[in-house]
Amino acid sequence: MGVRRAGRGRSGLLAGFAVALLVLVVVVAVIQLSRSPRGVQAPPTGVPGGTPASGALQATPVTGRVTGRVPTDCHERRARDGQPLPDPVCTPGVVSTAVTQDNLSATICRSGYTKTVRPPASDTGAYKRKVMGAYHDSGPPGDYEFDHLVSLELGGSNDVGNLWPERNDHPPDGAINSKDPVENALHRAVCAHQVSLAAAQTAIATDWTMALATLGLPPVR
C-alpha cells in the first residue's frame, strides 16, 4: 500500500509540473504578442474612402490616362490664408511608381517629361465634370483647373485620388492660379537636390500653401 501511494504522489507532482509549464508557455506567448509592433498591419491607402499612411503617399503606375475611382461626396477646405485645399479623403495625393529619388534626371528633371505622362484633354474633361460634381462645384468648368495635387513635375500620378477642381484665381504674377508657382519652386528645389522628392511630394499634398515654408524654402515672388 505504501509503494502505491508513493507512485501516485510522484505522478501527481509530474502532472502538476506539466500544467505549470503549459501556463508559463501561454503567459510568455501573450507577452510576446503584446510587444509585437503594430506597424506590421497593412496601412490604409490613399484612395477615395481612405487616407494615406502616416508620412507616405500611395503610388500607382502612370499610363498617360486618368485612373482610379471617382469619389462621391467631397468638401473643399480653406488654408490659413484663405486659399483652397482639397478634401484629404477624396484627394489625399497619389504619386507615380516610376519616379524615384534615384532616377530624377531621367524623369521629372528631364525636359519634356510631363508631356509624356499628361492625359489627353478628352480624358481629363470627362473626369473633371464628375469630380466637380463630387466637390459640389456648380460654376463653369473653365473657371477651374483639374489640378494634380502632387504635380506631374513632382512625380504625381494621374489617379483620381490626385486630381481635384481648383478654382483659378489669376494672381498678379500672371499664373493661372497661385499653386502653380509653388509647384515650379518645389520642382527646382528637388532637381537641385535641395530637398528630397518624397519630402516635396508630402509637403504639397499636405498643404500646398505651406509647402515651401515647411521645407525651409523661400516664398515665391
Side-chain angles (χ1 to χ4, degrees):
M1 295 294 291
V3 173
R4 286 196 294 271
R5 284 197 297 272
R8 287 197 297 270
R10 285 195 295 271
S11 298
L13 288 174
L14 289 174
F17 177 77
V19 171
L21 181 60
L22 179 61
V23 171
L24 178 62
V25 170
V26 172
V27 170
V28 171
V30 171
I31 292 174
Q32 291 297 325
L33 287 174
S34 67
R35 292 178 178 176
S36 297
R38 300 181 183 275
V40 297
Q41 299 177 357
T45 58
V47 296
T51 55
S54 178
L57 297 175
Q58 183 193 18
T60 62
V62 174
T63 63
R65 303 300 296 265
V66 178
T67 58
R69 176 168 54 87
V70 177
T72 57
D73 185 27
C74 310
H75 301 276
E76 189 178 86
R77 299 172 297 141
R78 290 290 170 181
R80 286 184 292 181
D81 62 357
Q83 289 285 1
L85 297 174
D87 188 314
V89 174
C90 295
T91 318
V94 183
V95 298
S96 168
T97 56
V99 180
T100 69
Q101 186 67 40
D102 295 330
N103 67 8
L104 294 177
S105 60
T107 54
I108 64 171
C109 299
R110 173 174 58 86
S111 177
Y113 163 78
T114 58
K115 293 181 180 180
T116 67
V117 295
R118 189 178 300 279
S122 58
D123 199 18
T124 56
Y127 275 92
K128 180 179 182 179
R129 289 188 291 272
K130 294 177 182 178
V131 178
M132 284 185 65
Y135 268 89
H136 310 284
D137 291 323
S138 58
D143 288 349
Y144 296 82
E145 176 183 341
F146 198 33
D147 178 68
H148 289 79
L149 179 58
V150 180
S151 61
L152 293 179
E153 63 181 330
L154 288 174
S157 170
N158 292 319
D159 190 271
V160 175
N162 193 46
L163 291 162
W164 65 299
E166 179 190 10
R167 182 179 288 276
N168 298 319
D169 62 346
H170 303 284
D173 61 6
I176 296 177
N177 59 64
S178 297
K179 184 170 175 282
D180 288 345
V182 174
E183 297 172 353
N184 296 335
L186 288 174
H187 177 259
R188 290 192 297 269
V190 169
C191 291
H193 301 286
Q194 294 176 323
V195 298
S196 71
L197 173 68
Q201 291 173 335
T202 300
I204 198 168
T206 302
D207 184 339
W208 68 265
T209 69
M210 295 295 296
L212 297 176
T214 298
L215 298 172
L217 297 172
V220 293
R221 297 177 181 178

